[in-house]
Amino acid sequence: MSETIALPGEIIDETGDFVNGHGTRQTSRGIVSTILGTASLQNKFLSVKPLRTNYQGEVGDVVVGRVVEIVQHQWKIDVHSKLFAGIKLGAINLPGNELRIKDATDELNMRGFLQEGDLISAEVQKVHADGSLALHSRNLLYGRLENGILVKVASSLIVRTKQHFFTFSFGVKSIFGLNGYIWLSPSSDIDINQQLREDYAGASFIPRTSNVLSDSSALPFSPFERGTRLAMARLRNILLLMNSEWEPISPQVVEELFNFSHKQKLEVIDLLNDQIGHKLLTDFRAYRLSNAAST
Amino acid sequence: MQKDEQPPAKQPAEITLDQTESVYEKPVIATNCVHEAVIPPGWVPPAQTQTNTEPAKTFPFKLDEFQEAAVRCVDKGESVLVSAHTSAGKTVVALYAIATALRANQKVIYTSPIKALSNQKYRELSEHFDSVGLMTGDVTLNETAKCLVMTTEILRNMLYKGSEVTREVAWVIFDEIHYMRDYERGVVWEETIISLPKNCRFVFLSATIPNAKEFAEWICSIHNQPCHVVSTDYRPVPLQHYLFPVGGKGLHLVVDEHGVFRENSFSQAMQTMKTSNAQQGSGTTRKMNTSEKEDIYKIIKLVMSLNFNPCIVFCFSKKEVENIATTLGKKGIIADNEDRMKAVNSIFDRAISTIPEADRNIPQINNLRPFLVRGIGVHHSGLIPVLKEIVELLFQEGLIEVLVATETFAMGLNMPAKTVIFSGIRKFDGKEYRYINGGEYIQMSGRAGRRGLDERGIVIVVGDERISSKEMQDMMKGSSDPLLSQFHLSFNMILNTLRIEAASPSFIISHSFLQFQTTKKIPQLENELLELEKTHSALPQPSRAVDRFHNILCVHNSLAKSLHKVTNAPITSLPFLQTGRVVRIASDAQEWGYGIVVSFMKRNIRRSDDEPSYVVDCLVAVQKGTENSTPRPVPSVASWTYTPITPACPLPAPTKNVNKHTVFIVVPVKLAAIRVITSIRFQLPPDLNPETARQAVGESLLKVNETFNGVLPELSLEDLGIDDEEVKGIRMRMETLEKELKKDTESITMKDIVKCEEWKKGKAEIETQKSLIEDMKEGILKRELNGMIEILSRFAMLEPIEKVVTAKGQTVCAVNSINEVLAAQLLYTGYFSNLTEPQIVAILSVLLVQERGDDMVEVRKDLVEPIKVLQEEARKIIEVAKHCGIETENMIGVNLSVLEAAYLWTQGADFKTICQTSEAFEGSIIRVLRRVDELLMELSEAAQVMGSEAMIKKFASCSQKIKRGIVFVASLYI
């Protein structure tokens, strides 16, 4: 597979030997790129992947999103794509893992599970023809997110890896949503959510027990240690730095950079300084290169 | 009923019913129902939330014991496997489960292995419930219904996609689960069952299987829920099994309704067969000869005269079905009946009216009607689907007296007859002709006896004289086959699970029935290992000298083998295999000594990837008395044993007293079995046919042998024209080793070496057994999984390091019908861009024909190139697969038999025309075209993922062009 940068309107093939896909158009002069991005050739298939873009999902992707509205039997979720993604009432598991057809009462109680402003993690179930996404919560890994920080980065920076749920060695766990939303939370209360959900026997979203219509969160907010809080703050700043420096983001690299910044004796706040940040990343790249060379 | 009890007086003279005393005893109906349950350890039954004392559904008849037991399990909300004969009434349990789910506002899914059955079930369930939907690859009806009938494959795909339905379904009913032994379908079942949610409940309907409990244990272990087994071999209508000897005169009752085998009656039948054969004076041939057709005719005539109709005649090939039906039609076996004629015609016309007029006038339709009108039906997979359904409907209406069918009719809806006749007891199962086994026999004979109508069902088997009493008993009374997992990996499964964070192929593998069954086998294997170790420890350990000698010998032999490969290559050896050349011949089992080449010939190549093979006719000495046995080609060498001590013993015949015990004959020998080409050539007499001539040549060979002291001079490498340093090096090393070996030949005997070999072999066996057990403990299919992941990586469908599904891999996640890697390659290399619609459809058809067919098809000009490219792609994939250590047989099947038909159909030709271009049955052509349409849909989904507008359009237009007329007529059941 070979990759080059393509500009909008640039003719990327004149031979006519290739098949064109996303981000391209077949014209009389050949295949033309319609966007700014990396043109990639696989076998004879030519497509252009945009550099900066709204999130374009693929089936099976892990995403983090925010509930923006509730329409008839589905929640609309902002996942930073062109259109709001939807998660259907039918696509969540009920408390007690009850298997049944959802009825009008369930529809009325939808706010009991999720309401506007809630953050969730979910999996892309389907990509509709118009590019909008249908989400679902396949198992206990997914659910409502509370007690943590959301960091937004460019979706194209998130590296596709096997595991997007990652627990760092320094007491922070994370969800690297492929849509560029990254969720950080202390790994100490790893089980508040999980435990509760298990109590509710497999429900995707724990119903707000107090009052389904009140907007007060029923989940206890659990304070956590200063160390963890600092680690989370550092992590957040590192992610923002990586975003501004256009560095591909994967849990492993993030962890390395985290430790590297520690070694450089940088304070959390320093990381937000453009110059310091730039230098840190330049050094980090050099450090990685030398590391790779030595192994 | 009355008639059953009184044998009709006016029997045709030549046919007599072998009347035995028990025929007319009142049948005793025993309902021997076994109810077992497998419960996971520590299982606490959930508190009954609501006590439904009311049954979810009531039936207008009293339930049988086993039905009662199964229904109780469903009431308790626990899974159940019902194992019973088709006629026993398993559907009741399914209906009850559906009613239970519907009452609780839950969805229920009914799956059956094939589309045709789904259609039938949809019809049947619609009669019982309001909200029934149907989803097969062909049609989707009312998909929001609460009760969904679908094929297992559709359910599996829905589960992989995480469809909403899977969150609402509380009960899943699996019909005909015993077909899990099927290679293709079984794996779909396993993946489905594994992927279903843990708290989903199951009803499995199965024919009788001996290891039902094992299956339940598996369900219990992977879903952590109780699973009941309700099994019975109860038949509401008991069966009598008769044997009709080929060419014989009457029926012999061999198994009565109590299941007692009558040895006397059987041997009597066999006796008649022998005598009648003796009279005819010739052995039977498998081919359907006139006398066999005559037999079927005689039997049916008898059946009709005894009022044992309606009857089903099972045959094992479509051709045979047609032949028998034609004979019956000609002979006018059933009296014409005005009413029937009218009824059949009206049903037939109404059904046919769904077919567009242009396609109605095809031979199959025209030919079938006169048969049906006379009460004769035909049913096999070569029929176009509508005709098949017409026949089924007519049969259910009782308008068909004799139905000639293939095995497929034994599947699905209960369509019983009074009598079942087997036209033969051997079938071709893709590999060989074999006797049908107990399970198949049970399934087919289960069609005999209509509940409430017949007191007993009659099964008549046309036997051949080769079957023994034991084989007969095994077949008629044998237990059904156990359910054995056919789990294997598919690219589709791997891709679909890898792209989801929460799933992985190894999860599916470790939860498969195969893993379960394998794990259960481990203790037995460990015992075997102990046994092996015990016997091995009894063997004397070889001394160091012998060990060394043996090691050198092994090296020498492997060198000799590689040298032989060079000298034996056709290009080198053939020029020297002139008539009269003396060669040494040896198979892996036997040393044949020296022989004289008479001629050689090239054998036909069966598969394109085979190397051409050569067979050399040689004059060799063989033991007297064995010369008349059919000479088989001496097989090629598998193991290579070097015998350094004694010069080669010349013959499989004894070496001494040559003249007395040996004769010289010409035997075909595989080229690879020629070990040594000597420098000696004889002048052969022109005619070797007379024995004296052969003997004379043979004797002179022996004389030469004597002169050279048993070792004739070999052709050297130079003589053979081999001038390769490497080869010479091998030769040199061999010579050194031979010198080394010679040093010890005195002190070490052949016996020592044999013993040493035995010891080493035993040790190796233990090692393999150990690693086998280890592999099993570690998990099955590891190597295969790694191999397949490697293939996917090589074709850039997985990212090479992280093994994350790439865009290319994502593309074909929706493709099921053909090899996924091939599909990805075709899409990504722009294979379809320059093809027209007819070309695309024709090419896709090539990949979708399931039947065997000959490849000798004339390919039209504009398809030659595309096929070549296709084969090239396939070859590439197979090469990579071989490299990754994956079994490549059947990986990509190519069959050109409907190529032309598919091409013309897309061009707009009418059905009659396209049928003339192909040897394939009409039904097969339709099936392939429907499968093409399904594949087009999958490909178009893939093109959508790629973002290629042009391809989406092209596939849509292909689909539009083939979706017309008779090929896509909806099922009558819907």
Side-chain angles (χ1 to χ4, degrees):
Chain A
M1 186 149 95
S2 62
E3 288 191 351
T4 48
I5 292 283
L7 301 170
E10 187 184 342
I11 299 172
I12 48 178
D13 169 64
E14 286 170 312
T15 60
D17 282 348
F18 299 110
V19 194
N20 65 311
H22 289 296
T24 62
R25 261 180 72 187
Q26 183 79 50
T27 68
S28 55
R29 293 175 303 151
I31 298 173
V32 171
S33 167
T34 55
I35 48 171
L36 166 66
T38 48
S40 69
L41 180 64
Q42 176 79 60
N43 300 115
K44 285 185 171 175
F45 178 64
L46 196 53
S47 60
V48 179
K49 229 166 85 188
L51 280 185
R52 259 180 206 283
T53 177
N54 288 345
Y55 170 60
Q56 290 166 342
E58 274 175 41
V59 177
D61 283 0
V62 174
V63 296
V64 171
R66 193 184 288 281
V67 179
V68 282
E69 61 177 318
I70 296 178
V71 294
Q72 207 182 14
H73 58 73
Q74 64 173 323
W75 293 273
K76 284 290 181 191
I77 314 288
D78 161 38
V79 288
H80 198 248
S81 58
K82 276 188 296 189
L83 299 157
F84 286 142
I87 182 162
K88 282 195 185 151
L89 175 58
I92 67 162
N93 297 334
L94 292 175
N97 230 338
E98 200 182 338
L99 298 169
R100 61 174 171 81
I101 302 167
K102 276 91 179 174
D103 52 22
T105 331
D106 295 308
E107 236 172 90
L108 287 173
N109 287 337
M110 277 173 72
R111 275 202 181 75
F113 292 107
L114 284 178
Q115 59 192 24
E116 291 86 342
D118 281 351
L119 274 169
I120 61 160
S121 62
E123 183 187 298
V124 176
Q125 178 191 16
K126 196 178 167 191
V127 183
H128 294 298
D130 63 357
S132 68
L133 306 173
L135 309 179
H136 67 156
S137 68
R138 191 183 278 272
N139 54 27
L140 285 185
L141 275 176
Y142 303 101
R144 188 165 57 216
L145 305 172
E146 267 156 343
N147 225 12
I149 319 176
L150 177 72
V151 187
K152 294 184 183 176
V153 299
S155 61
S156 41
L157 283 182
I158 305 280
V159 178
R160 233 167 243 286
T161 60
K162 238 180 193 155
Q163 292 294 321
H164 286 266
F165 289 78
F166 192 81
T167 306
F168 291 103
S169 52
F170 36 82
V172 180
K173 61 174 181 162
S174 59
I175 304 171
F176 284 74
L178 273 159
N179 59 335
Y181 289 8
I182 299 169
W183 177 251
L184 306 172
S185 56
S187 59
S188 56
D189 69 7
I190 195 158
D191 288 320
I192 288 195
N193 242 324
Q194 191 101 15
Q195 189 55 51
L196 264 168
R197 254 183 268 149
E198 262 157 36
D199 289 349
Y200 279 93
S204 295
F205 305 105
I206 308 129
R208 289 162 204 275
T209 38
S210 55
N211 179 349
V212 284
L213 291 177
S214 94
D215 57 3
S216 72
S217 166
L219 272 185
F221 173 78
S222 57
F224 45 88
E225 292 170 28
R226 183 183 147 79
T228 313
R229 245 187 354 248
L230 275 177
M232 277 171 67
R234 182 180 290 267
L235 213 50
R236 168 186 176 272
N237 289 356
I238 277 173
L239 287 169
L240 290 177
L241 173 64
M242 289 174 95
N243 186 39
S244 66
E245 289 287 325
W246 210 249
E247 180 73 21
I249 295 172
S250 70
Q252 287 73 20
V253 177
V254 170
E255 182 155 30
E256 270 180 55
L257 185 53
F258 182 95
N259 294 331
F260 189 73
S261 77
H262 253 306
K263 255 193 245 159
Q264 306 283 319
K265 303 241 163 30
L266 290 178
E267 288 300 318
V268 173
I269 187 100
D270 294 342
L271 296 169
L272 289 179
N273 181 310
D274 283 350
Q275 275 159 5
I276 297 177
H278 183 73
K279 184 171 179 305
L280 172 72
L281 222 72
T282 321
D283 290 350
F284 178 64
R285 283 176 188 140
Y287 163 77
R288 287 200 85 198
L289 266 180
S290 69
N291 259 10
S294 66
T295 55
Chain B
M1 211 72 61
Q2 197 55 35
K3 275 173 187 158
D4 279 357
E5 315 224 333
Q6 290 295 320
K10 47 162 188 128
Q11 276 178 28
E14 78 273 26
I15 289 170
T16 50
L17 185 64
D18 169 36
Q19 294 162 9
T20 40
E21 49 316 336
S22 87
V23 178
Y24 303 110
E25 272 174 35
K26 272 266 170 221
V28 181
I29 299 172
T31 67
N32 39 350
C33 153
V34 182
H35 180 181
E36 295 169 287
V38 186
I39 294 167
W43 171 257
V44 187
Q48 283 290 26
T49 40
Q50 63 210 93
T51 40
N52 273 315
T53 42
E54 281 289 297
K57 185 175 172 66
T58 51
F59 296 92
F61 46 86
K62 191 174 175 310
L63 295 185
D64 289 328
E65 197 182 330
F66 85 94
Q67 290 168 332
E68 196 73 59
V71 160
R72 271 202 305 274
C73 302
V74 175
D75 257 340
K76 259 201 284 182
E78 288 176 2
S79 298
V80 60
L81 164 67
V82 185
S83 155
H85 293 300
T86 321
S87 53
K90 286 173 290 192
T91 315
V92 166
V93 187
L95 291 178
Y96 193 86
I98 294 172
T100 310
L102 293 185
R103 185 173 62 181
N105 194 24
Q106 293 164 321
K107 272 200 176 168
V108 55
I109 291 176
Y110 192 109
T111 75
S112 68
I114 52 177
K115 288 177 197 162
L117 289 188
S118 297
N119 293 341
Q120 293 175 357
K121 272 292 160 193
Y122 170 72
R123 175 67 165 283
E124 195 187 351
L125 295 182
S126 299
E127 285 165 15
H128 290 273
F129 304 101
D130 301 330
S131 178
V132 182
L134 175 69
M135 291 171 93
T136 62
D138 294 344
V139 272
T140 300
L141 287 175
N142 197 10
E143 59 181 321
T144 51
K146 288 177 178 172
C147 171
L148 282 174
V149 181
M150 57 177 81
T151 54
T152 326
E153 204 156 64
I154 300 265
L155 177 58
R156 193 235 352 223
N157 295 346
M158 279 167 74
L159 285 165
Y160 279 151
K161 281 188 200 151
S163 161
E164 284 97 76
V165 174
T166 58
R167 286 196 181 69
E168 295 174 345
V169 55
W171 286 90
V172 182
I173 299 154
F174 291 91
D175 200 0
E176 312 262 0
I177 192 87
H178 52 279
Y179 281 94
M180 210 158 119
R181 327 189 169 89
D182 185 286
Y183 182 77
E184 302 229 321
R185 291 183 199 125
V187 64
V188 180
W189 253 308
E190 288 194 37
E191 286 175 30
T192 309
I193 293 171
I194 296 163
S195 309
L196 278 163
K198 293 253 169 303
N199 44 351
C200 196
R201 297 290 175 258
F202 311 99
V203 175
F204 302 103
L205 305 180
S206 156
T208 48
I209 41 173
N211 61 338
K213 197 169 165 207
E214 189 183 19
F215 184 84
E217 281 166 5
W218 173 57
I219 296 296
C220 172
S221 81
I222 61 167
H223 281 297
N224 193 32
Q225 56 166 277
C227 183
H228 296 255
V229 179
V230 177
S231 52
T232 175
D233 55 3
Y234 155 71
R235 280 187 189 282
V237 186
L239 297 185
Q240 286 179 327
H241 304 259
Y242 292 87
L243 179 62
F244 183 93
V246 171
K249 290 229 160 60
L251 297 174
H252 301 259
L253 180 70
V254 281
V255 177
D256 64 19
E257 61 265 53
H258 307 296
V260 178
F261 186 77
R262 297 165 168 249
E263 195 70 53
N264 273 347
S265 187
F266 177 76
S267 48
Q268 218 179 329
M270 296 312 276
Q271 204 50 47
T272 24
M273 217 165 347
K274 283 202 184 99
T275 47
S276 83
N277 271 338
Q279 278 163 9
Q280 284 175 2
S282 69
T284 50
T285 49
R286 220 168 23 234
K287 259 198 170 165
M288 186 76 187
N289 52 33
T290 19
S291 103
E292 275 182 46
K293 263 192 245 172
E294 206 62 39
D295 283 341
I296 296 283
Y297 172 67
K298 270 196 249 171
I299 295 172
I300 291 171
K301 210 164 160 197
L302 173 66
V303 163
M304 297 304 289
S305 68
L306 292 174
N307 261 325
F308 281 1
N309 52 325
C311 72
I312 303 172
V313 183
F314 280 113
C315 311
F316 295 105
S317 83
K318 291 173 218 166
K319 292 250 155 64
E320 200 184 336
V321 169
E322 305 252 298
N323 283 341
I324 291 180
T326 316
T327 321
L328 295 180
K330 269 189 211 142
K331 300 234 177 180
I333 200 156
I334 301 158
D336 283 344
N337 176 331
E338 266 310 303
D339 292 342
R340 176 170 58 220
M341 205 181 269
K342 256 188 219 150
V344 169
N345 271 330
S346 100
I347 293 179
F348 198 87
D349 286 334
R350 232 179 315 143
I352 290 299
S353 69
T354 58
I355 302 175
E357 216 148 324
D359 293 334
R360 257 179 244 172
N361 194 22
I362 60 167
Q364 203 176 57
I365 297 179
N366 294 338
N367 292 346
L368 190 62
R369 190 199 288 254
F371 284 107
L372 295 176
V373 168
R374 267 177 247 165
I376 299 169
V378 176
H379 192 279
H380 59 73
S381 62
L383 286 185
I384 61 175
V386 178
L387 288 183
K388 234 160 80 177
E389 288 172 354
I390 292 176
V391 173
E392 285 162 17
L393 286 176
L394 292 175
F395 187 78
Q396 279 170 312
E397 294 296 323
L399 291 166
I400 287 181
E401 299 298 340
V402 180
L403 177 67
V404 193
T406 52
E407 216 180 334
T408 44
F409 189 75
M411 221 171 148
L413 276 197
N414 191 16
M415 281 187 259
K418 171 139 190 160
T419 305
V420 162
I421 300 166
F422 288 82
S423 74
I425 43 178
R426 284 158 173 276
K427 77 169 199 179
F428 186 74
D429 67 355
K431 285 187 208 117
E432 49 168 0
Y433 274 97
R434 59 164 174 82
Y435 288 115
I436 54 175
N437 60 33
E440 289 159 344
Y441 185 85
I442 289 173
Q443 184 79 18
M444 282 182 267
S445 59
R447 287 286 185 228
R450 293 161 299 170
R451 195 173 191 165
L453 279 175
D454 305 322
E455 200 126 306
R456 58 181 79 79
I458 311 289
V459 183
I460 300 169
V461 173
V462 179
D464 63 48
E465 84 280 12
R466 276 164 293 188
I467 195 164
S468 70
S469 158
K470 191 179 167 301
E471 283 169 320
M472 196 75 180
Q473 286 196 50
D474 278 350
M475 186 175 87
M476 287 189 166
K477 296 177 55 196
S479 65
S480 40
D481 313 326
L483 213 54
L484 293 178
S485 175
Q486 291 290 336
F487 185 79
H488 57 273
L489 301 174
S490 66
F491 289 118
N492 187 276
M493 187 274 274
I494 294 175
L495 286 173
N496 269 303
T497 50
L498 274 183
R499 70 169 168 173
I500 289 161
E501 176 121 2
S504 72
S506 40
F507 176 85
I508 302 272
I509 295 171
S510 63
H511 283 69
S512 67
F513 193 35
L514 183 63
Q515 176 74 62
F516 185 80
Q517 289 188 317
T518 311
T519 313
K520 273 187 95 172
K521 255 189 278 171
I522 290 178
Q524 188 203 335
L525 287 174
E526 277 174 333
N527 281 343
E528 277 174 29
L529 177 65
L530 280 182
E531 206 58 36
L532 276 177
E533 279 174 334
K534 220 161 130 198
T535 44
H536 186 250
S537 62
L539 292 175
Q541 190 167 351
S543 72
R544 209 182 257 181
V546 175
D547 187 45
R548 178 171 165 277
F549 187 87
H550 183 255
N551 283 344
I552 297 175
L553 197 59
C554 285
V555 177
H556 178 272
N557 289 346
S558 75
L559 285 176
K561 207 169 183 177
S562 50
L563 186 65
H564 179 252
K565 225 181 221 164
V566 180
T567 55
N568 192 247
I571 193 162
T572 316
S573 59
L574 287 182
F576 293 93
L577 295 177
Q578 311 101 321
T579 312
R581 173 74 63 188
V582 178
V583 290
R584 214 183 94 205
I585 302 159
S587 69
D588 43 349
Q590 243 166 356
E591 182 64 57
W592 285 72
Y594 290 105
I596 303 170
V597 175
V598 178
S599 67
F600 69 80
M601 60 178 215
K602 197 169 169 180
R603 264 232 305 232
N604 292 345
I605 312 160
R606 218 173 277 151
R607 273 181 300 164
S608 51
D609 51 10
D610 275 357
E611 298 255 317
S613 68
Y614 294 87
V615 171
V616 187
D617 286 331
C618 292
L619 185 72
V620 290
V622 299
Q623 232 154 335
K624 213 169 200 164
T626 58
E627 70 268 23
N628 286 333
S629 57
T630 350
R632 291 218 174 134
V634 174
S636 57
V637 195
S639 71
W640 191 274
T641 42
Y642 174 74
T643 45
I645 297 154
T646 48
C649 60
L651 329 155
T655 35
K656 282 156 207 155
N657 299 331
V658 170
N659 294 333
K660 252 193 216 160
H661 293 294
T662 55
V663 275
F664 286 87
I665 58 162
V666 176
V667 168
V669 172
K670 276 196 180 172
L671 180 59
I674 292 182
R675 296 282 175 94
V676 172
I677 304 173
T678 70
S679 56
I680 296 166
R681 232 184 115 182
F682 276 85
Q683 190 75 39
L684 290 188
D687 187 9
L688 279 174
N689 276 335
E691 201 190 324
T692 46
R694 292 200 305 263
Q695 210 65 18
V697 176
E699 263 155 46
S700 46
L701 172 65
L702 290 171
K703 226 169 262 165
V704 172
N705 199 5
E706 232 163 82
T707 334
F708 280 97
N709 216 356
V711 186
L712 304 188
E714 248 178 80
L715 279 181
S716 68
L717 290 179
E718 288 76 32
D719 295 337
L720 286 168
I722 298 172
D723 191 25
D724 189 311
E725 283 309 312
E726 207 177 316
V727 179
K728 281 182 186 163
I730 294 178
R731 182 69 239 172
M732 294 248 284
R733 279 180 62 200
M734 276 173 69
E735 272 160 22
T736 339
L737 291 174
E738 271 161 33
K739 268 184 213 149
E740 194 75 13
L741 290 173
K742 279 223 177 88
K743 275 192 227 158
D744 288 328
T745 30
E746 251 123 81
S747 58
I748 294 165
T749 61
M750 198 63 200
K751 228 172 161 185
D752 291 329
I753 296 169
V754 170
K755 268 189 185 155
C756 174
E757 216 154 65
E758 222 171 272
W759 189 85
K760 284 191 172 171
K761 214 172 129 196
K763 199 166 172 194
E765 251 171 51
I766 290 174
E767 289 306 315
T768 18
Q769 184 85 349
K770 263 188 193 159
S771 70
L772 183 71
I773 293 173
E774 219 149 90
D775 281 356
M776 280 183 167
K777 280 184 177 163
E778 220 175 84
I780 48 162
L781 297 175
K782 270 240 160 83
R783 201 179 51 76
E784 285 81 355
L785 178 62
N786 289 337
M788 287 176 81
I789 286 181
E790 181 62 31
I791 297 173
L792 289 171
S793 309
R794 296 244 185 133
F795 284 101
M797 294 163 75
L798 292 179
E799 197 262 323
I801 301 153
E802 281 266 355
K803 309 295 178 206
V804 176
V805 181
T806 62
K808 190 174 174 184
Q810 285 267 1
T811 307
V812 287
C813 275
V815 176
N816 275 314
S817 320
I818 57 170
N819 184 294
E820 293 77 3
V821 180
L822 181 64
Q825 283 303 99
L826 294 181
L827 286 166
Y828 264 64
T829 53
Y831 179 74
F832 299 110
S833 319
N834 301 318
L835 298 185
T836 61
E837 286 91 348
Q839 281 174 316
I840 293 179
V841 173
I843 289 292
L844 295 181
S845 80
V846 167
L847 297 167
L848 292 170
V849 181
Q850 280 169 323
E851 279 121 32
R852 287 165 292 136
D854 57 303
D855 290 342
M856 304 309 287
V857 177
E858 210 175 304
V859 177
R860 66 164 59 223
K861 243 198 227 139
D862 59 342
L863 286 174
V864 174
E865 190 54 33
I867 287 182
K868 226 162 101 193
V869 178
L870 180 78
Q871 279 170 333
E872 180 58 24
E873 284 299 340
R875 199 189 51 75
K876 268 190 224 160
I877 295 169
I878 286 176
E879 216 155 83
V880 171
K882 270 189 191 152
H883 208 265
C884 298
I886 293 296
E887 182 69 40
T888 52
E889 210 183 322
N890 301 330
M891 197 156 152
I892 298 169
V894 170
N895 183 329
L896 305 179
S897 61
V898 294
L899 184 75
E900 185 67 12
Y903 189 94
L904 289 175
W905 180 252
T906 323
Q907 274 193 332
D910 61 16
F911 194 67
K912 197 172 167 185
T913 323
I914 71 162
C915 288
Q916 284 158 358
T917 65
S918 174
E919 296 253 307
F921 275 100
E922 288 83 342
S924 311
I925 296 177
I926 290 186
R927 205 164 30 247
V928 170
L929 284 170
R930 285 185 177 180
R931 283 170 58 91
V932 169
D933 185 54
E934 226 171 296
L935 174 59
L936 281 169
M937 232 129 67
E938 293 169 5
L939 288 177
S940 138
E941 210 169 308
Q944 214 150 12
V945 176
M946 292 169 73
S948 169
E949 290 297 328
M951 269 201 269
I952 298 175
K953 265 191 209 139
K954 198 157 232 171
F955 291 137
S957 123
C958 286
S959 179
Q960 200 190 347
K961 287 199 163 131
I962 59 169
K963 268 189 126 162
R964 62 185 171 85
I966 191 168
V967 175
F968 284 86
V969 166
S971 159
L972 293 179
Y973 287 106
I974 307 174

